[in-house]
Amino acid sequence: MNSRPEAWLKQAHNDLALARLAKDNGFMAQACYHASQAAKQALKGALLELGIEPPHTHVLNDLVQQLENEGLKVATLNALPLRGLSRMAIQSRYPVDTTPPADLFDLADAEQAIKTAKAVLDVVAGFDDEVE
């Protein structure tokens, strides 16, 4: 792996750790946000490893589609609730009308977001075998 994709994957692991820390300390919206960031960074790192400059997007399914277009097996990723995790990238950061994000997310949301992000990171780690 060259250093640029490796940096993205390291940041993905860092954001996943921060998501767990936020959840453990009662910050559910922040946990959801950082989990979504972790998944996005891992997918973008995988694209970079393939020599593809990733698009500026929060839509995880679009990134997965690009990986599939490059011949990677993405069935496991497609089975994950990525649409919800993508929405968390925005909804966990900005108020909706008079409702702050802190009131929109609960422990179950944070746990699901972290579980999904961890699964994305695990799948991306397995791509190393496919790319080599």
Side-chain angles (χ1 to χ4, degrees):
M1 181 177 276
N2 75 46
S3 61
R4 187 168 178 222
E6 193 173 293
W8 280 76
L9 194 55
K10 184 175 181 180
Q11 188 60 41
H13 284 281
N14 222 358
D15 270 330
L16 184 58
L18 185 54
R20 289 179 175 133
L21 184 63
K23 176 192 69 85
D24 291 345
N25 285 281
F27 296 99
M28 302 310 155
Q30 291 82 357
C32 292
Y33 173 75
H34 285 286
S36 71
Q37 287 295 103
K40 180 177 70 172
Q41 290 160 351
L43 294 170
K44 287 186 175 188
L47 286 168
L48 285 165
E49 184 64 21
L50 295 170
I52 299 166
E53 191 65 31
H56 296 283
T57 184
H58 294 292
V59 182
L60 301 175
N61 287 324
D62 289 353
L63 299 172
V64 171
Q65 182 62 52
Q66 282 193 282
L67 292 169
E68 185 174 33
N69 292 346
E70 294 301 316
L72 293 177
K73 296 175 183 137
V74 298
T76 304
L77 290 172
N78 283 329
L80 295 172
L82 297 179
R83 178 173 279 161
L85 195 57
S86 293
R87 281 195 289 262
M88 288 178 178
I90 301 298
Q91 293 174 343
S92 62
R93 301 287 289 172
Y94 305 105
V96 176
D97 297 321
T98 60
T99 306
D103 293 347
L104 296 174
F105 298 93
D106 61 17
L107 179 60
D109 295 322
E111 288 175 343
Q112 181 62 53
I114 290 167
K115 179 181 175 183
T116 302
K118 171 77 167 84
V120 169
L121 269 68
D122 290 346
V123 170
V124 168
F127 283 161
D128 284 345
D129 298 332
E130 286 186 59
V131 172
E132 294 178 333

